[in-house]
Amino acid sequence: MPSLYRFKDERIQDVMLAYTKVENSVRYSLTHGGRYLPYDEQELAMMREDKAWAMARLVIDKIMRLPPIDRF
């Protein structure tokens, strides 16, 4: 079957991105005493865009894997 992904790891990475809860994400900060800090609004927007692209690639890959339709 044809696939959008060359390697299985690429698909796994997109699955992980697609299921990430952006609003609950925090980052580990070494400069602020090793605390977990929330992302700022610009970083959240970039993460949402990455998530949307990953979901789109997964949908395209799923459509590519569907069997052909017999029209006649």
Side-chain angles (χ1 to χ4, degrees):
M1 280 194 262
S3 178
L4 185 65
Y5 301 101
R6 285 185 276 164
F7 303 106
K8 185 178 179 180
D9 294 343
E10 293 173 345
R11 186 175 188 284
I12 291 171
Q13 184 177 1
D14 275 351
V15 169
M16 295 296 289
L17 275 172
Y19 284 101
T20 300
K21 297 193 184 263
V22 176
E23 288 75 23
N24 297 340
S25 297
V26 292
R27 62 179 166 190
Y28 184 77
S29 175
L30 292 173
T31 58
H32 289 91
R35 293 184 294 166
Y36 290 97
L37 301 173
Y39 289 100
D40 63 10
E41 202 52 46
Q42 182 182 6
E43 291 170 323
L44 286 174
M46 289 174 24
M47 289 172 62
R48 286 185 197 107
E49 183 178 351
D50 290 341
K51 180 178 178 173
W53 279 107
M55 292 173 80
R57 285 190 297 268
L58 288 169
V59 168
I60 291 169
D61 184 60
K62 187 170 186 173
I63 291 169
M64 288 176 69
R65 291 173 181 252
L66 289 175
I69 299 172
D70 293 330
R71 296 184 185 240
F72 300 103

